[in-house]
Amino acid sequence: MTAQTAPRRRRRVRPQSVINYALALVVAFAYLFPLLFVLNTSLKSDQDFFRNPVGLVTSPQFGNFVEAWNRGHFGALIGNSVLYTLAAAGLGTLVSLMIGFPVSRGYFKHSRAWYGLFVVLLFLPNAIITQFQLLLRIGLYNSQLGYILIMAAAVGVGPILIAAYARSIPIELDEAAAVDGAGYWRYLFTFVVPLARPALATVFILQAIGIWNDIILATVLLPDRQKAPISLGLYAFQGTYNNEWGLLAAATLIVAAPLVVAFLALQRYLIGGIVGSVKG
């Protein structure tokens, strides 16, 4: 006897799955279309752009990226941005940890009021004049240290995310560490930091994005262009009467490329940190 193969069952396509995929495609298109449009513009000459701004490029001008790199002095400015991003985002993440964890555990009085303060601070405008006066009075105006400290202080949602994520860490672990004689700081950096790594990575990434893209504070606090971040290199392409749109688009992609690469490499930490904070 020959064994008869059982007929394969066809997977039923549920309407909800179709709707979910359709919505995902719409959201992906909404995010990718501006990036593709800028890429298309970056490969155009000025004549091609003004002839048809939204048309597809026919003769790609890859030299736009070389000229944009040289004219914007990105080679000299990218080191400043890397320094500001790593230092300020790292320090800001540390501050968020030192604030968010004790608030989540109730080690501060009126912890709910602290949560409310964190939320209110998200909606307050940036006090540029106050920050300018502060750095001027303490002698850190037009200094890299002063700029790093100001950017690190803008913790944003950092304390909220870390406080929410810390709720998923059993409080019994705190008690066990106290019984074993571990001090607070040893416990925080030896146990909490490894356990809260997804949330810390998320806070670091979010703050790094804001620091890398900052233009306003860098313009006000760093008048010396030798200390400017890479984002200020875009000013080299702003003309009085017209703009060279191809070069400007190429320069924009040069500035955004490190963030895109970093996001693709670290997205699993970002998603894990956000999901963990929501569950916590």
Side-chain angles (χ1 to χ4, degrees):
M1 293 180 61
T2 59
Q4 296 181 352
T5 58
R8 295 182 178 180
R9 295 183 178 180
R10 294 183 178 180
R11 296 183 61 183
R12 296 180 59 185
V13 179
R14 294 181 298 177
Q16 184 63 37
S17 299
V18 176
I19 295 175
N20 292 338
Y21 279 110
L23 291 177
L25 289 175
V26 171
V27 173
F29 177 79
Y31 278 93
L32 290 178
F33 177 76
L35 182 61
L36 295 176
F37 180 79
V38 174
L39 177 61
N40 184 64
T41 303
S42 66
L43 297 174
K44 289 183 177 181
S45 63
D46 290 338
Q47 294 77 11
D48 291 338
F49 178 81
F50 288 111
R51 188 181 302 115
N52 188 2
V54 297
L56 293 177
V57 60
T58 55
S59 56
Q61 305 292 322
F62 293 100
N64 286 348
F65 289 93
V66 178
E67 186 174 352
W69 178 273
N70 294 329
R71 185 183 298 188
H73 303 288
F74 291 133
L77 301 179
I78 192 171
N80 293 336
S81 285
V82 171
L83 172 63
Y84 299 149
T85 302
L86 294 180
L91 184 58
T93 303
L94 177 62
V95 172
S96 298
L97 172 66
M98 296 175 65
I99 296 176
F101 179 74
V103 168
S104 70
R105 288 295 198 254
Y107 295 155
F108 288 165
K109 293 183 179 179
H110 312 294
S111 59
R112 291 186 178 181
W114 281 98
Y115 274 113
L117 178 62
F118 294 156
V119 175
V120 170
L121 290 177
L122 295 177
F123 298 94
L124 294 179
N126 199 354
I128 299 179
I129 297 178
T130 304
Q131 294 169 346
F132 169 78
Q133 291 290 341
L134 174 63
L135 293 184
L136 193 63
R137 291 178 181 274
I138 63 177
L140 291 179
Y141 176 69
N142 194 26
S143 69
Q144 293 180 321
L145 177 60
Y147 181 71
I148 290 173
L149 293 177
I150 290 296
M151 298 305 296
V155 292
V157 298
I160 299 176
L161 288 177
I162 291 178
Y165 194 92
R167 294 178 180 177
S168 63
I169 301 176
I171 196 171
E172 290 78 11
L173 191 61
D174 300 20
E175 299 171 354
V179 171
D180 290 341
Y184 175 77
W185 296 110
R186 180 185 174 188
Y187 170 71
L188 182 66
F189 291 104
T190 305
F191 295 94
V192 176
V193 169
L195 293 174
R197 190 178 303 168
L200 295 174
T202 301
V203 173
F204 181 87
I205 294 171
L206 293 178
Q207 193 158 4
I209 292 173
I211 296 168
W212 187 273
N213 292 329
D214 174 64
I215 292 180
I216 298 177
L217 280 176
T219 304
V220 175
L221 303 180
L222 294 173
D224 185 0
R225 288 298 174 260
Q226 298 295 327
K227 303 174 183 177
I230 192 173
S231 57
L232 290 187
L234 296 175
Y235 278 119
F237 304 91
Q238 183 177 1
T240 304
Y241 301 103
N242 64 342
N243 287 321
E244 297 174 282
W245 294 104
L247 292 179
L248 180 59
T252 302
L253 287 178
I254 291 175
V255 174
L259 283 182
V260 174
V261 174
F263 176 79
L264 293 177
L266 301 174
Q267 61 177 335
R268 64 189 184 98
Y269 295 104
L270 181 64
I271 296 173
I274 294 176
V275 172
S277 298
V278 173
K279 290 183 178 179

